[in-house]
Amino acid sequence: MGYLALAKKDSWFGFISNKKDKGGDLTTRPDTPDGALTPDNPGAIVPLRSMPVPTEPRYFDKLTAEALHTIAQKKKEMLPSTKQGYEALGTASDCDAEVVADHSNFQIKDAGNALSQAQSQAGVKSFLSELRPGYEEIDAGLGFASEKANKRIDWIEQDLDEAMEILAA
């Protein structure tokens, strides 16, 4: 299927519409990925609490203090892997952004190339339309020549018929 056939559809690759009521509307902001923070979606401030925070001063017995110490040590051990995990998520997000930017650049280039191809094909059609009068002249000339030849053939047949009548008499 060519570019022109695709352009005749309601939506072309999902990013260009040839409907007059939707095409060219630059006032609508593109969608953002799910969960991405935007001015309209600043997200919630969610504190991270690994352990309950005492709301008032208190004493801890030995067993509770040791349990809290054990949990704190595990959290401390998890800290490097947690940092590594968030760095990996950041790297993946950077890659996602780069891929989307590259795809957007491709869409821009492809749309421009599609227009260029359509313009080239329109130029060919325009040139061929300009040739129509010449073909009409050829058709008219051939029609006239065919009519003239048919008249001559009819004249010759008529002369032959008359000659045959004379010979037959």
Side-chain angles (χ1 to χ4, degrees):
M1 184 181 301
Y3 280 96
L4 289 179
L6 288 171
K8 291 179 182 175
K9 291 185 174 183
D10 286 344
S11 178
W12 186 27
F13 294 128
F15 65 93
I16 295 176
S17 174
N18 62 2
K19 289 186 175 180
K20 292 195 186 244
D21 59 336
K22 290 184 182 176
D25 182 10
L26 300 178
T27 61
T28 307
R29 189 175 331 147
D31 291 336
T32 55
D34 291 339
L37 300 180
T38 66
D40 296 333
N41 178 27
I45 297 174
V46 181
L48 174 64
R49 299 288 185 195
S50 300
M51 295 185 274
V53 176
T55 57
E56 53 190 53
R58 63 168 283 191
Y59 289 98
F60 295 101
D61 62 22
K62 186 171 177 96
L63 187 61
T64 304
E66 287 175 359
L68 290 172
H69 180 71
T70 302
I71 292 172
Q73 284 302 111
K74 285 184 182 178
K75 300 296 178 186
K76 192 173 186 178
E77 290 171 8
M78 291 174 60
L79 187 57
S81 60
T82 300
K83 284 183 180 183
Q84 184 180 11
Y86 277 112
E87 286 176 10
L89 287 172
T91 300
S93 181
D94 290 344
C95 292
D96 292 346
E98 193 169 332
V99 167
V100 169
D102 289 343
H103 182 71
S104 296
N105 289 336
F106 160 74
Q107 288 177 314
I108 290 167
K109 186 170 200 157
D110 189 55
N113 288 339
L115 174 62
S116 177
Q117 290 182 22
Q119 288 170 330
S120 294
Q121 291 174 356
V124 169
K125 287 185 177 187
S126 175
F127 177 76
L128 292 175
S129 290
E130 291 173 10
L131 297 179
R132 286 179 57 207
Y135 280 99
E136 290 294 327
E137 286 178 21
I138 291 171
D139 287 346
L142 290 175
F144 177 75
S146 176
E147 191 177 310
K148 187 176 175 182
N150 285 337
K151 283 183 182 178
R152 291 190 81 203
I153 290 170
D154 289 345
W155 181 68
I156 291 171
E157 285 177 348
Q158 188 179 12
D159 279 354
L160 284 175
D161 287 343
E162 287 175 8
M164 293 297 276
E165 284 179 13
I166 292 174
L167 290 174

